[in-house]
Amino acid sequence: AWSVLGFRPYVANEWFVDVNEGDFVRNRFYGGVTRPIAGPLSIDVYYLWQTSKGKTTWEDIDAAGVKVKLAFD
């Protein structure tokens, strides 16, 4: 059903380590869907969750967004 409508879903996760301290300091997860509009133009709707190690606790950032992409070959 996704391909019939032209949607391309994606998910990704990134881990960040402070190599000097040898400690895990951040995690970033994001996912969304991209849909071509016309030719090199597409639209992307996404959600991002990031958690970072603060001085005393972990701090979260939640973000949602829409971006329009124009690709040049």
Side-chain angles (χ1 to χ4, degrees):
W2 287 98
S3 60
V4 172
L5 299 174
F7 290 101
R8 292 187 312 250
Y10 63 89
V11 294
N13 194 72
E14 298 175 282
W15 294 278
F16 297 82
V17 175
D18 181 335
V19 294
N20 293 324
E21 299 293 324
D23 197 13
F24 175 73
V25 295
R26 178 175 293 156
N27 185 61
R28 184 180 295 154
F29 171 82
Y30 51 95
V33 292
T34 300
R35 185 175 192 287
I37 297 173
L41 191 62
S42 64
I43 191 165
D44 190 0
V45 180
Y46 64 90
Y47 168 76
L48 169 113
W49 172 61
Q50 176 177 293
T51 184
S52 300
K53 189 174 183 181
K55 293 188 185 285
T56 59
T57 186
W58 286 84
E59 301 167 359
D60 290 339
I61 295 174
D62 293 282
V66 176
K67 65 181 169 184
V68 177
K69 296 190 274 188
L70 180 59
F72 297 97
D73 290 332

